[in-house]
């Protein structure tokens, strides 16, 4: 029964992830596909990171220029806690674990490299990559 509930929950999240929302904003390019809007905006959703620019998710993949600021915004997360946790090298300062819509976390990337991240609460189920050129 627990597996069936988990599968139904994952299908519901996948269905919701495909919905467009005006609160997603624009986002940072990279990872393929064009979008619109300024560099580096990523949605922290309910068990997903999603590039606002190109729609990639889990991993959300964005390419930004050196000196760009990337902002993660908690959107439609309800009472589920999430964070942005830097993984490996190179690294950036990780966020605190936050709960609630409208929270934001920003990092300015001053050194080229590929930066991996996930959610400290959900691990590999929520992941992303920032390529800084």
């Amino acid at each position: 029964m627990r597996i069936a509930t988990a599968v139904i929950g994952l299908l519901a999240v996948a269905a919701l992830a495909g919905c467009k929302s005006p609160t997603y904003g624009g986002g940072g390019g990279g990872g393929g596909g064009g979008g619109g809007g300024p560099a580096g905006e990523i949605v922290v959703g309910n068990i997903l990171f999603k590039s606002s620019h190109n729609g990639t998710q889990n991993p959300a993949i964005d390419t930004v220029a050196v000196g760009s600021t990337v902002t993660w915004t908690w959107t439609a997360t309800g009472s589920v806690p999430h964070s942005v946790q830097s993984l490996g090298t190179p690294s950036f300062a990780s966020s605190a674990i936050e709960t609630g819509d409208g929270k934001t976390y920003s990092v300015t990337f001053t050194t080229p490299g590929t930066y991996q991240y996930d959610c400290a609460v959900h691990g590999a189920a929520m992941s992303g990559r920032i390529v800084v050129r």
Side-chain angles (χ1 to χ4, degrees), residues 22-93:
T23 61
Y24 284 0
E41 290 185 18
I42 300 167
V43 170
V44 180
N46 211 352
I47 322 294
L48 68 86
F49 286 117
K50 182 176 182 179
S51 167
S52 293
H53 178 70
N54 59 39
T56 57
Q57 66 185 42
N58 293 336
I61 303 170
D62 284 284
T63 301
V64 299
V66 170
S68 293
T69 299
V70 173
T71 300
W72 289 263
T73 302
W74 278 240
T75 304
T77 59
S79 62
V80 179
H82 299 291
S83 73
V84 178
Q85 172 179 260
S86 181
L87 302 171
T89 303
S91 65
F92 58 91

Side-chain angles (χ1 to χ4, degrees), residues 78-126:
S79 62
V80 179
H82 299 291
S83 73
V84 178
Q85 172 179 260
S86 181
L87 302 171
T89 303
S91 65
F92 58 91
S94 298
S95 76
I97 295 173
E98 300 278 359
T99 302
D101 295 346
K103 305 284 186 187
T104 62
Y105 182 68
S106 296
V107 174
T108 300
F109 290 90
T110 58
T111 304
T114 299
Y115 297 80
Q116 306 283 343
Y117 64 91
D118 71 4
C119 173
V121 177
H122 298 98
M126 290 179 69

